[in-house]
């Protein structure tokens, strides 16, 4: 601790603290441009000069640590003079075009020029101008306005881990850019918009859409991943104009992903469903809410009476709010419908009957993640799946953590990965067993794991697996294990989960899940599961079908809640299409129409989208985060929880008792608090269930699918700027060169993929070294890509070019 | 992208790399650029820069930054000989304006341009640290001081170019 004075008042701070940090803590204003608390210090703009006793010149507050007995003045004549001069220099080349600049009104330069600048310019010479760059659909550039603070450049290096922007040229000729015109395509690129203190980098979709001072600001929670980033929604006359980050150091710090920032464009899609619609003689007819709800209930009841409780399947979006989830399952169970699920990407549920599924949380707090020593990620690509988890991993890696990936294909990481295991044919289970085996054969001080040995009799550990075991098993380390989206969507999902559980127990590690959607934990807590009720209580009777079984054999009727588009969102899109088109009745609760829904649905009910409803998401840490609506839903669309309340009331339930959504949340909270704890059957017993899998053949080709970053839900899929980015992949079957030549397939060929009796599709080939052997990698949820069945074993044939 | 750094250039770069710790390959970016520029017609095209970036495992932009910062790297085609005329204070006081004027007339080009026959490129330089012999210029790697138009004539004649 050192004691010092700022503006003649005594303060103290830990040794090494910078003057600007103390000033910020004490709310003493010091102007700045290049300094940013989350970036490295460069002290290049000199705007933060302050007077320090005994120093012959003013010193930069952002680069000068406080010292014992130091005397600092931030507003003395000397300091003010320095600040004024720096400001005058900055304005030499900065255009005075604030009236047409998007940053106007929230520009750090404008504010500080007002506060610290002179009122008249002495500069009459010409200003320099710089050519603009096209760096993609998200960020607009106006490089003449750049003041060379290099925040954007440092962001690229230090946070995004991709050095795309840079400062070329020197002095008067210095320019910030990509040198060659190229798009900046990091998954968090939009943050440079907030970082840029001037109007050089602004939001392209927001360009000339409104002024900062006209916007209304509502705090909200981001809806596309399980991080639960804090955001502000900015609206103008009831329309969402942009989404920006809201600082929360324990979650998203000051960043958000591009997906969370730009998905709002989808809210204005021409696909918005504005009125309840009922299909009559194959035509959509507008109707009122009353009729639509009555019709829905009657149709469902008729089917239930005739075909029984298992005849209706309900698929709920993993991004539906907690209130929607809870009321949906309450209404559905009240009607006698028990097949309810939110785990849309999942296809293997073989563990389900072995006891209740665990609540899919991270297993530790995000801030703890960056302090872990060893992190094992199984089937996970957080860079596209949960970009801000990726950011924490990058921080952990920088602090020296060993990060180990077990993935179906190789990815580009923007941090140092200690080991990347990519087994052939997407067989993730085998490297895990290899690691387990190596752990067991290390000097074994944990005899109570001896029961595992028989399960590993066919396993031989590779040197790489032994190395990983070495990292995981050495005592006294903080180890975190995660199952990512691709482990959950894997054909051996249940087995992967069990082995991960065993690894976690063995290494005394935390076990976490990086789940789909924004509210998978909330859906679990609400009981949107076929065999578990609110609070995760196992249902002894009235168990329903899981998401996969619901479409594997078509059911007579389906309820789709929260913008679920099964033809994109389900693991097996082929089966989903077939099941929905063959069913007698489908009701879709969705903000959107369009797509296949128009064909298979009988009723479409317009519900509010994200930003238009209040609600709660539970993030992966298990934090309940409630938010308010920022703008009203369009047309006659209503918040989902209100629609469900009305339905419950119509069915004779006590639904109308809720007058506010908080009451729904509190009712659930009460249930959760009083849930008795459950004991699972022992791991050993549960392991028996996967015994047959362990002896399965590893040979043969497997299809591995993956949801691309901007195809994960109905809102993102309708956001034009995101769809226009370079991150939107083509519909291709990607193969390793060796595998391709084994089947005499070349890059320009098309190939036919078939699984007997299930599906068959023809698609163009791309040869790619990043794909392991025996793997066919295909992006899911692409337009025109819906003829793909689920992951797993397939046969492939070369398609002769003439009929391709 | 057709350009590959030749074996001999690689060997030269590797000699520089030995002088730095293995995880700081970027320290060799200046010598690497200089070597590649010298062996490839005196200037660096984007493909040369990219090749250096690849060779040193640097982000491309990091190499572009360095190459565009130093005026000794040329990013556009240049003549066989590069003439750098100092126009900084000492040289200016000693008459660098006459020198520049003479060179421009003699070669028929303006500052920054290259002669039609591809022999000379004329460039302005900041202080060459040869103030004692102002006005000064540098042609390729040689300094020439106390310049006069006559002296320039003989220098140019000596270059046969
Ligand atoms: S573009 Fe903006 S953030 Fe980047 S250097 Fe210029 S002023 Fe700073
Ligand atoms: S903020 Fe201190 S020098 Fe830029
Ligand atoms: S000013 Fe010309 S050499 Fe110094």
């Amino acid at each position: 601790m050192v004691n010092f004075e700022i503006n003649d008042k005594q303060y103290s701070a830990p040794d090494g603290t910078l003057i600007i940090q103390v000033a910020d803590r004490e709310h003493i204003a010091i102007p700045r441009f290049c300094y940013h608390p989350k970036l490295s210090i460069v002290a290049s703009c000199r705007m933060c000069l302050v007077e320090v006793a005994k120093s012959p010149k003013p010193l930069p507050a952002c680069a000068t640590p406080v010292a014992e007995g130091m005397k600092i003045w931030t507003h003395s004549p000397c300091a003010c003079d320095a600040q004024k001069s720096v400001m005058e220099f900055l304005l030499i080349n900065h255009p005075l075009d604030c009236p047409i600049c998007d940053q106007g009104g929230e520009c750090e330069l404008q504010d500080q020029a007002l506060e610290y600048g002179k009122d008249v310019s002495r500069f009459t010479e010409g200003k320099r101008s710089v050519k603009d760059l096209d760096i993609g659909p998200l960020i607009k550039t106006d490089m003449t306005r750049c003041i060379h603070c290099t925040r954007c450049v440092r962001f690229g290096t230090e946070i995004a881990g991709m050095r795309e922007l840079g400062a070329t040229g020197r002095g008067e000729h210095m320019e910030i850019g990509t040198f060659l015109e190229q798009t900046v395509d990091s998954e968090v690129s939009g943050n440079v918009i907030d970082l840029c203190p001037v109007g050089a980098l602004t939001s392209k979709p927001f360009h000339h859409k409104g002024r900062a001072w006209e916007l209304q600001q509502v705090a909200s929670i981001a809806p596309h991943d399980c991080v639960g980033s804090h955001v502000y929604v900015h609206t103008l006359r009831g329309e969402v104009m942009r989404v920006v980050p809201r600082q929360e150091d324990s979650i998203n710090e000051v960043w958000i992903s591009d997906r969370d920032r730009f998905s709002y464009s989808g809210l204005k899609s021409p696909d918005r469903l504005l009125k309840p619609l009922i299909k009559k003689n194959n035509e959509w007819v507008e109707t009122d809410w009353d009729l639509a709800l009555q019709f829905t209930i009657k149709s469902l009841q008729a089917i239930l009476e005739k075909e029984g409780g298992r005849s209706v399947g309900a698929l709920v979006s993993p991004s539906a709010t907690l209130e929607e989830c809870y009321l949906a399952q309450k209404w559905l169970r009240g009607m006698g419908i028990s097949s309810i699920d939110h785990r849309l990407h999942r296809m293997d549920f073989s563990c389900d009957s072995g006891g209740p599924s665990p609540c899919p949380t991270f297993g530790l707090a995000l801030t703890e993640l960056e302090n872990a020593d060893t992190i094992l990620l199984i089937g996970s690509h957080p860079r596209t799946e949960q970009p801000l988890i990726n950011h924490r991993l990058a921080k952990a890696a920088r602090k020296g953590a060993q990060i180990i990936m077990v993935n179906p294909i190789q990815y580009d990481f923007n941090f140092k990965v200690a080991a990347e295991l990519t087994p052939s044919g997407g067989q993730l289970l085998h490297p895990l067993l290899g690691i387990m085996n190596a752990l067991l054969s290390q000097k074994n001080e944990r005899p109570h794991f001896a029961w595992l040995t028989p399960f590993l009799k066919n396993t031989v550990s590779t040197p790489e697996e032994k190395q990983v075991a070495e990292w995981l098993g050495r005592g006294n380390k903080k180890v975190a294990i995660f199952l990512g989206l691709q482990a959950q969507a894997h054909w051996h999902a249940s087995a992967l989960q069990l082995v991960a559980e065993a690894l976690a127990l063995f290494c005394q590690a935390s076990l976490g899940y990086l789940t789909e959607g924004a509210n998978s934990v909330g859906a679990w807590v609400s009981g949107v599961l076929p065999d578990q009720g609110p609070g995760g209580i196992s249902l002894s009777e009235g168990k329903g079908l899981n998401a996969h079984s619901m479409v594997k054999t078509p059911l007579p009727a389906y309820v789709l809640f929260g913008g679920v588009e099964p033809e994109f969102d389900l693991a097996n899109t082929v089966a989903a299409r077939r099941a929905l088109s063959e069913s007698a009745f489908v009701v879709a609760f969705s903000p959107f129409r369009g797509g296949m829904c128009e064909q298979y649905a009988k009723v479409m009910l317009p519900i509010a989208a994200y930003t238009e409803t209040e609600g709660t998401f539970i993030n992966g840490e298990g934090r309940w985060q409630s938010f308010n609506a920022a703008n009203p839903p369009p047309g006659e669309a209503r918040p989902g929880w209100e629609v469900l309340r009305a339905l419950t009331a119509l069915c004779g339930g006590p639904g109308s008792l809720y007058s506010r959504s908080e009451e729904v949340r509190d009712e659930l909270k009460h249930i959760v608090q009083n849930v008795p704890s459950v004991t699972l059957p022992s791991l050993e017993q549960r392991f028996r269930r996967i015994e047959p899998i362990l002896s399965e053949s590893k040979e043969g080709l497997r299809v591995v699918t993956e949801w691309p970053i901007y195809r994960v839900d109905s809102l993102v899929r309708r956001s034009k700027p995101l769809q226009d980015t370079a991150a939107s992949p083509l519909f291709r079957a990607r193969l390793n060169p060796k595998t391709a030549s084994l089947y005499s397939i070349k890059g320009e060929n098309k190939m036919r993929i078939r699984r007997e009796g299930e599906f068959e599709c023809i698609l163009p080939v791309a040869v790619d070294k990043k794909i392991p052997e025996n793997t066919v990698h295909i992006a899911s949820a692409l337009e025109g890509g819906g003829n793909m069945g689920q992951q797993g074993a397939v046969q492939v044939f070369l398609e002769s070019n003439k009929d391709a | 992208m057709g350009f590959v750094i030749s074996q001999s250039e690689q060997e030269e770069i590797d000699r520089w790399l030995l002088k730095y710790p293995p995880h700081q390959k970027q320290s060799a970016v200046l010598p690497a650029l200089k070597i590649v520029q010298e062996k490839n017609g005196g200037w660096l095209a984007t493909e040369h820069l990219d090749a250096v970036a690849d060779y040193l495992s640097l982000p491309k932009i990091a190499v572009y930054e360095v190459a565009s910062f130093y005026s000794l790297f040329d990013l556009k085609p240049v003549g066989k000989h590069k003439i750098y005329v100092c126009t900084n204070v000492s040289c200016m006081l000693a008459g660098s304006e006459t020198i520049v004027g003479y060179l421009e007339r003699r070669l028929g080009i303006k500052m920054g341009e290259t002669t039609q026959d591809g022999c000379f490129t004329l460039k302005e330089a900041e202080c060459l640290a040869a103030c004692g012999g102002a006005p000064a210029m540098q042609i390729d790697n040689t300094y020439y001081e106390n310049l006069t138009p006559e002296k320039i004539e003989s220098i140019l004649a000596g270059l046969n170019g």
Side-chain angles (χ1 to χ4, degrees), chain A residues 153 163-171 177-180 182, chain B residues 46 49-50 59-62 64-65 68-71 75 126:
Chain A
V153 177
R163 193 86 151 69
E164 291 177 308
L165 290 170
T168 54
R170 181 177 68 198
T178 47
F179 188 68
L180 301 167
Q182 359 174 269
Chain B
T46 309
L49 301 177
D50 290 349
K60 287 180 186 160
I61 183 77
Y64 302 159
E65 284 179 332
S68 63
F69 185 90
Y70 293 101
S71 40
L75 305 181
E126 301 306 335

Side-chain angles (χ1 to χ4, degrees), chain A residues 380-383 390 405 407 410-415 417 420:
Chain A
S380 175
H381 184 31
R383 191 155 179 198
N390 192 68
M405 300 278 179
N407 273 336
Q410 282 178 28
Y411 291 110
D412 290 325
F413 298 103
N414 53 1
F415 51 81
V417 173
E420 191 181 8

Side-chain angles (χ1 to χ4, degrees), chain A residues 30-145:
Chain A
I30 294 181
R32 85 279 311 266
F33 290 111
C34 66
Y35 173 75
H36 190 281
K38 300 281 178 196
L39 301 176
S40 62
I41 308 284
V42 287
S44 63
C45 75
R46 302 273 135 178
M47 191 62 217
C48 64
L49 293 175
V50 292
E51 183 180 353
V52 177
K54 297 205 200 100
S55 159
K57 297 184 292 179
L59 297 178
C62 71
T64 312
V66 288
E68 188 62 43
M70 204 180 214
K71 289 196 164 76
I72 302 153
W73 295 277
T74 64
H75 288 87
S76 64
C78 162
C80 288
D81 202 39
Q83 291 159 359
K84 258 202 175 76
S85 306
V86 171
M87 180 53 80
E88 192 172 13
F89 266 117
L90 277 173
L91 290 179
I92 282 182
N93 272 322
H94 191 81
L96 299 180
D97 63 347
C98 308
I100 56 152
C101 173
D102 256 344
Q103 193 83 353
E106 52 180 356
C107 174
E108 293 177 42
L109 184 62
Q110 202 179 33
D111 295 347
Q112 294 181 27
L114 183 73
E115 200 83 6
Y116 302 93
K118 300 190 172 172
D119 39 11
V120 185
S121 169
R122 293 188 286 163
F123 188 76
T124 50
E125 290 80 357
K127 295 185 179 235
R128 73 175 204 150
S129 65
V130 179
K131 207 172 142 261
D132 279 335
L133 299 162
D134 184 358
I135 57 171
L138 305 180
I139 302 166
K140 171 145 183 13
T141 69
D142 232 310
M143 297 322 286
T144 302
R145 298 186 186 131

